[in-house]
Amino acid sequence: MSRQLEFTMGGLLDHIAQQFPDNEALIYVERGLRYSYREFNEVCRQVAKGLLKMGIKKGDNLSIWAYNVPEWVILQFATAKIGAVLVTVNTSYKSAELEYILKQSDSNTLFLVQGFKDTDYVATLLDVAPELATSRPGELQAANLPCLKNVVFLGEGSHAGMVDFTGIMELGKDVSDAELAAVESTLDRHDVINMQYTSGTTGFPKGVMLTHFNVINNGFNIGECMRFTDKDRLCIPVPFFHCFGCVLGVMACVTHGSAMVPVEIFDPLKVLQAIEKERCTAVHGVPTMFIAELEHPEFPKFDLKSLRSGIMAGSNCPIEVMKRVIRDMNASEITIAYGQTESSPVITQTRTDDAIELRVATVGRALPDVEVKIVDIETGNELPPGKQGELCTRGYLVMKGYYNMPEETAKVIDADGWLHTGDLAVMDENGYCKITGRIKNMIIRGGENIYPREIEEFLYTLPKVSDVQVYGVPDRKYGEQVMAAIVLKKGVTMTEEEAREFCRGRIANYKIPKYVKFVDSYPMTASGKIQKFKLREMAIRELQLEDAGETA
């Protein structure tokens, strides 16, 4: 029987902290940091009070630019306790993208770490807002970023013009419980408290507005699909700035009183160490993460017997990888989830007791209280089971809209409240869905519609193949041709002809890749989504197909 949680995020955490006060809430293995739910709630309340003292008000937009540091999870709840909106910034962004997000979101506060990989965040911010170097903390007046007033540093040390995160906790000591309670009493569960920018794989990123109700209920139902209880312990190596981390990870745990075991920056060895040391019962990841864990040279040394479940999502889940996760990682109840940020984010998920065939061949069925239909991409009419069309969804999970983009919102949410995903899918008579591609990823070769997913799944059965992505490139004669970018398993070699020969007689000739390229990795968003449009752009340059693209 389905049920919906009526809490705000702050109210939810108060409730769970009362129900499971001594349960471990948040564990950072490398830092030796452990919070029980009672302690975690108290820290979040203290930070919420500090934000109030800083002058942050309900409805203010606050950006966070950081990998999975402890402050991230604390801020997810602290900001929600006062009704401020946490705007999540992609960890891979550079200066132009940061400037765009801070401007477009009207953020008055930015929380940031020193940097990530090859990007120094502090230096990048100074490029965008040089006035910070000479401003008093809390009084920034930047020509490029008129809304931004506060910059808060997360980490050791201090920087000119910035408030230190520990300073916020100190400020909170001057605010009473009654003052915080008064603010919380004005909040509504349908208020926006989270804003995530779509990956921007096409056009400018759009700010997806999500409410308390969106993320709490989506997180709760995700956890239910994994049969989570207060005894579960989830390893979270996926980024918090993306729904995979902050909803499928954090909210699935908090709604069930489960323990969160984040990995700050993905490293397959650290994931394996965290699972073993903390006896994690579940682990999340995109397929490339699971591949990296399975193929790590030290993988056989680890005791993963505690593992039971988790989620593989974010991009197409290769059947062979799924089978290895079940067999070799002991995650016999691993699930597949499908969705997008605009649906907060999960629409369908497999269940732990689904037959293995369903768990490797579909993305499951609709979550409770979620409607799903498949419509004809030309007419918009609903299609019967077994017919391919666009997947649409309706229910509590649909976003409020794109921030300050009403026209873009109207393009994806129709008058009847259906969110149009842009994904091609087939649903069977039991409601289980197979995602067959993106409408814009479909390859049309000489009038034949080709769905890259089908060819990818076929090529995954080649023993030497670790990963594969299939996409279309321009062709003068046929309009488009099929191209495959293949990552080989370590220590093996293969020729282009060998890959094509494997296909001959097994799949239709028009589906056999005309072009095969061997690569070490794929261009990705920081949330683990493979950017096929970049693969296509590289191929067009390398194969000198610019003219073909113009005439195709």
Side-chain angles (χ1 to χ4, degrees), residues 33-52:
L33 183 151
R34 286 175 192 274
Y35 285 135
S36 67
Y37 268 100
R38 182 196 293 110
E39 292 164 337
F40 179 61
N41 190 34
E42 197 41 58
V43 170
C44 293
R45 287 172 56 79
Q46 191 71 12
V47 172
K49 290 176 179 180
L51 294 173
L52 287 177

Side-chain angles (χ1 to χ4, degrees), residues 12-184:
L12 170 73
L13 187 54
D14 289 340
H15 171 73
I16 295 294
Q18 286 169 357
Q19 198 173 1
F20 306 108
D22 300 320
N23 266 26
E24 288 187 311
L26 187 63
I27 301 154
Y28 276 81
V29 174
E30 287 190 278
R31 293 179 183 236
L33 183 151
R34 286 175 192 274
Y35 285 135
S36 67
Y37 268 100
R38 182 196 293 110
E39 292 164 337
F40 179 61
N41 190 34
E42 197 41 58
V43 170
C44 293
R45 287 172 56 79
Q46 191 71 12
V47 172
K49 290 176 179 180
L51 294 173
L52 287 177
K53 186 73 173 176
M54 279 175 66
I56 304 298
K57 299 184 295 298
K58 173 183 171 180
D60 282 356
N61 293 342
L62 321 178
S63 287
I64 180 163
W65 198 21
Y67 47 88
N68 291 7
V69 291
E71 295 91 339
W72 213 114
V73 201
I74 293 165
L75 283 164
Q76 185 174 345
F77 287 91
T79 53
K81 278 179 178 287
I82 61 170
V85 180
L86 191 64
V87 180
T88 69
V89 183
N90 189 312
T91 51
S92 295
Y93 277 175
K94 308 294 186 191
S95 58
E97 295 153 321
L98 175 70
E99 182 176 346
Y100 170 82
I101 298 293
L102 293 174
K103 267 186 185 167
Q104 206 282 328
S105 67
D106 299 319
S107 288
N108 66 26
T109 301
L110 172 65
F111 302 92
L112 82 169
V113 291
Q114 180 65 53
F116 178 71
K117 294 188 176 175
D118 62 345
T119 305
D120 183 321
Y121 288 0
V122 173
T124 303
L125 179 59
L126 285 167
D127 284 345
V128 176
E131 300 91 341
L132 181 66
T134 53
S135 74
R136 288 166 56 90
E139 297 177 13
L140 177 61
Q141 290 183 308
N144 277 344
L145 303 168
C147 292
L148 191 65
K149 300 298 172 217
N150 309 297
V151 179
V152 181
F153 185 68
L154 310 177
E156 300 288 321
S158 57
H159 294 274
M162 299 188 196
V163 178
D164 184 56
F165 185 76
T166 53
I168 295 179
M169 300 197 54
E170 286 298 312
L171 285 173
K173 291 177 180 175
D174 296 335
V175 178
S176 69
D177 289 345
E179 287 174 83
L180 179 59
V183 173
E184 287 198 83

Side-chain angles (χ1 to χ4, degrees), residues 473-480 536 545-552:
V473 294
D475 185 79
R476 282 188 191 84
K477 182 177 180 182
Y478 292 103
E480 281 186 299
R536 179 184 165 95
L545 295 171
E546 289 89 345
D547 293 343
E550 291 168 7
T551 57

